[in-house]
Amino acid sequence: MQPKEPPPPAPDMFSLVDRPADQYQDFAERAPEPDAFSWRVLAIRAALQQGDGATAGQQLDLLRRQASPPQQATLVLLEGALALTQDNPEAALQLLGPLDSSQLTRSGTIYYLLLQANALEQRQQPLEAAKALIERQELLGGGDREANREHIHRLLQPLSPQSLRQAQGPGNSDQANGWFRLMAILNNGNLQPAQRQWQLQSWRTTYPDHPGQAYLAGAPAEQLATSAYQPAHIAVLLPLSGRLAEQADAIRNGILSAHQGQGSRLSFFDTNGRDMAGLYQQVQQAGADFILGPLLKEEVEALLGLDPAMPVLALNLPAYQPGLPHFYYFALSPEAEAAEAARHMWDQGHRQPLVFAPNNELGRRVATEFGQSWQQQSGRPAILAYFAGQGSIESDVRRALASTGTPPPAAAGVIQPLGDGAWTGAPEPIDSVFMVTNATETRVILPYFDFVRDSRAARLPTYVTSRSYVPDDEAPMSELNGLQLADMPWIFDGAPQLREEVESLWPNAGISWQRLFAFGYDALALIPQLTQLRQGAPAVPALTGELSVSPQGVLQRRLQWMEYRNGTWLPGGN
């Protein structure tokens, strides 16, 4: 008897199946390892492709007994594929869910994502299935990319524009958000031609290399112009009634003051209790060509979802900013002030700050932002500590100052409070303090840092934000001497002529009202400079700070740093 010829070298086990299952099995019986394993995998895949689940299951049982530990991930993929042929997508997803795809080869990952997508599609979850295919797209080449792209399009084409808009968010990749936004436009049969054209041009500008460009063959190819805005009619969206009416009135007066002498028209729309879709339609019918506002995060998110066909300067910062070329965000954010403090303290030469914040939602949020910004600046974490209330301030300060260690790595946004069981071994002692406190808390807490350390020792440089501002007309408080505070220049007698006018018109306006007035003033005054700032023009001085614009359209403020001395705020630390 003549010995059988050895089979050809085994191809990739996740390559195209183009032979009958029995031929692959014959090759497996004649091949040495590891080729034999690859041929067996191909034989099982071929049996599944032929609809012979019984044979595939028998061969999988045999393979399971022979497989080595590194081959277990491949067995899980085959088990998931078998479950799909048995119309059991739930079992397939239970098998695939815990699988660590980093153990797979590139081709194995491609196969894994296809199995996930098919299982989700069988479960009537087209959005999740599309996400798996979108991730798969980046790994493919040649004709496979086109087939995968068509599969994505086929999944998303029946979905409503509303569901596609709601699917967009920061948890998705840019490619996924691009698909969802594009299909929300293409699936919307109620759009006016001009609005559809604007939205598609905006999408092209945002996603110039997206595979979805293939479905815009008949759409205008030019990108949206990015010249300076000179609106003729500005629609201002504010909650002019309801619980925020007083704050909206301050912003409105700032807008009106900045608008003096301008030729454009202003129209104010009350957002309180209004549906954003209906309000936007009213804005369009009024002939507006620019939107200033809205003020609340949920309103900004609702307007974003409508993909408005005109430039927008929103007065808040939602969690997800999709980077639309004509959408801008402006907010007086305590988190942004914390990031500014981290930058300033690094520039001042500090290397191991202590963050002391109240143990509540705002305190944790602001402390997290400072910590993340400090990590970016310095490559090392800040020390985060929390106080519970006035009754435990002394013990909280003692624990904070005793915690001179560096925290272990943590997931983004996770705060690790100091106290019992804190880490140890920081290479540098605490050299500065950032306090997330209001004015009353600052007055109470600051003396404890002197008392706990040593009243004879020099005070640790201490920094606060605008929440700790103390007006100059209050009695001097020596315990605050040396405190450094960041706030908008407007508060420190910036623009004296405008300040005199404001004080004559609103003599009883408090500090919060004045900040919101400056916010509204800057928002309107900055409109003609938005595009140039987004393209990298130098920051411009304004009432609320030195303003620049990020590539995503977020207005960023550099604040003015002042030092408290005997009842007066004096320039210092800039």
Side-chain angles (χ1 to χ4, degrees):
M1 295 178 63
Q2 296 293 327
K4 291 185 177 181
E5 293 185 9
D12 187 295
M13 67 185 79
F14 298 108
S15 60
L16 178 69
V17 173
D18 56 2
R19 299 171 187 261
D22 55 359
Q23 188 172 354
Y24 285 122
Q25 189 62 34
D26 179 60
F27 287 163
E29 292 170 358
R30 292 188 280 129
E33 294 292 351
D35 276 13
F37 181 81
S38 297
W39 286 120
R40 291 188 186 98
V41 171
L42 287 162
I44 294 170
R45 290 183 56 216
L48 291 172
Q49 187 169 291
Q50 294 163 207
D52 188 355
T55 299
Q58 292 171 0
Q59 292 177 351
L60 184 54
D61 285 340
L62 292 171
L63 192 59
R64 197 179 287 114
R65 299 171 199 161
Q66 304 166 358
S68 65
Q71 294 169 335
Q72 293 301 316
T74 300
L75 296 185
V76 173
L77 292 181
L78 296 175
E79 289 165 354
L82 178 60
L84 283 178
T85 62
Q86 297 168 341
D87 295 325
N88 193 349
E90 289 80 9
L93 291 171
Q94 286 176 358
L95 287 163
L96 298 172
L99 183 62
D100 182 4
S101 60
S102 65
Q103 298 178 10
L104 302 172
T105 62
R106 180 187 179 93
S107 60
T109 303
I110 291 171
Y111 187 64
Y112 161 75
L113 291 169
L114 181 61
L115 291 176
Q116 267 199 330
N118 290 342
L120 290 163
E121 187 175 4
Q122 283 190 26
R123 288 188 65 185
Q124 305 297 315
Q125 293 177 261
L127 280 168
E128 296 304 316
K131 287 182 184 179
L133 293 177
I134 291 165
E135 185 179 349
R136 185 173 183 259
Q137 183 81 11
E138 300 302 307
L139 303 173
L140 296 171
D144 292 337
R145 289 177 65 88
E146 185 175 346
N148 193 73
R149 186 193 71 217
E150 287 294 329
H151 195 175
I152 296 168
H153 184 261
R154 188 167 65 252
L155 284 168
L156 299 179
Q157 196 171 29
L159 302 184
S160 70
Q162 181 181 4
S163 65
L164 289 162
R165 287 194 296 265
Q166 291 174 344
Q168 299 174 50
N172 301 328
S173 66
D174 284 346
Q175 289 288 301
N177 281 323
W179 271 109
F180 298 155
R181 183 181 169 210
L182 172 65
M183 297 309 296
I185 299 169
L186 296 180
N187 294 356
N188 192 346
N190 297 322
L191 285 176
Q192 296 296 323
Q195 173 142 346
R196 178 184 293 272
Q197 178 177 338
W198 171 283
Q199 290 180 350
L200 290 176
Q201 288 176 341
S202 171
W203 186 89
R204 281 184 183 274
T205 303
T206 308
Y207 302 100
D209 302 316
H210 196 278
Q213 295 275 357
Y215 301 99
L216 299 184
E222 67 272 12
Q223 293 187 341
L224 286 178
T226 54
S227 55
Y229 299 128
Q230 297 294 338
H233 186 179
I234 301 171
V236 184
L237 310 185
L238 290 171
L240 299 172
S241 62
R243 64 183 180 85
L244 294 176
E246 184 177 351
Q247 291 89 330
D249 182 65
I251 297 171
R252 177 178 178 272
N253 281 297
I255 291 170
L256 289 170
S257 292
H259 188 255
Q260 291 180 19
Q262 295 190 16
S264 59
R265 177 185 170 193
L266 286 179
S267 293
F268 288 87
F269 295 83
D270 187 2
T271 60
N272 184 45
R274 296 291 305 277
D275 170 66
M276 188 53 64
L279 191 59
Y280 173 61
Q281 186 176 11
Q282 187 179 346
V283 167
Q284 287 181 302
Q285 292 170 349
D289 56 356
F290 193 101
I291 294 176
L292 180 55
L295 181 62
L296 302 182
K297 284 188 179 184
E298 57 268 28
E299 294 171 346
V300 177
E301 290 168 352
L303 184 59
L304 265 172
L306 298 173
D307 207 346
M310 65 183 76
V312 176
L313 174 54
L315 298 179
N316 212 321
L317 190 64
Y320 171 55
Q321 306 111 41
L324 306 186
H326 289 273
F327 213 108
Y328 296 80
Y329 312 88
F330 188 20
L332 301 182
S333 159
E335 293 93 331
E337 292 189 9
E340 161 75 4
R343 179 203 62 78
H344 177 73
M345 290 170 69
W346 174 262
D347 289 346
Q348 295 298 299
H350 302 302
R351 294 299 176 260
Q352 188 59 74
L354 166 68
V355 180
F356 199 60
N359 190 22
N360 56 33
E361 191 272 335
L362 175 63
R364 291 189 294 271
R365 200 173 71 230
V366 176
T368 297
E369 184 64 34
F370 181 98
Q372 291 174 345
S373 181
W374 184 265
Q375 182 87 39
Q376 293 170 357
Q377 297 263 8
S378 66
R380 58 177 297 166
I383 298 174
L384 309 185
Y386 298 91
F387 59 89
Q390 189 168 344
S392 62
I393 287 297
E394 182 179 342
S395 58
D396 290 336
V397 170
R398 287 187 183 280
R399 278 197 298 269
L401 289 173
S403 300
T404 58
T406 301
V414 174
I415 297 180
Q416 303 186 41
L418 301 176
D420 296 337
W423 50 88
T424 59
E428 296 184 37
I430 293 170
D431 62 5
S432 53
V433 179
F434 173 64
M435 293 173 56
V436 186
T437 48
N438 59 33
T440 301
E441 291 167 336
T442 302
R443 296 172 196 171
V444 170
I445 294 171
L446 193 55
Y448 279 99
F449 275 91
D450 297 335
F451 171 74
V452 168
R453 290 178 71 242
D454 184 345
S455 59
R456 297 166 297 177
R459 170 178 287 175
L460 284 171
T462 304
Y463 300 81
V464 291
T465 60
S466 60
R467 295 178 67 240
S468 287
Y469 175 78
V470 178
D472 284 351
D473 57 5
E474 292 195 9
M477 289 168 272
S478 59
E479 65 271 25
L480 298 184
N481 282 344
L483 183 69
Q484 295 193 47
L485 173 139
D487 209 333
M488 55 180 66
W490 167 250
I491 299 302
F492 303 116
D493 296 324
Q497 185 174 348
L498 177 61
R499 173 167 291 281
E500 184 178 342
E501 178 183 335
V502 169
E503 289 176 350
S504 66
L505 291 171
W506 299 282
N508 298 319
I511 194 68
S512 297
W513 192 97
Q514 291 189 38
R515 285 199 177 95
L516 291 170
F517 174 92
F519 180 47
Y521 189 99
D522 281 358
L524 187 100
L526 207 65
I527 288 174
Q529 303 175 70
L530 288 174
T531 54
Q532 292 90 335
L533 288 170
R534 194 168 188 170
Q535 293 165 7
V540 297
L543 300 185
T544 57
E546 199 173 79
L547 299 178
S548 58
V549 178
S550 75
Q552 290 73 39
V554 179
L555 272 73
Q556 299 170 324
R557 295 189 300 140
R558 293 286 292 269
L559 302 175
Q560 184 170 344
W561 283 92
M562 304 290 278
E563 184 174 321
Y564 188 87
R565 286 291 173 192
N566 301 318
T568 303
W569 293 102
L570 301 173
N574 284 309

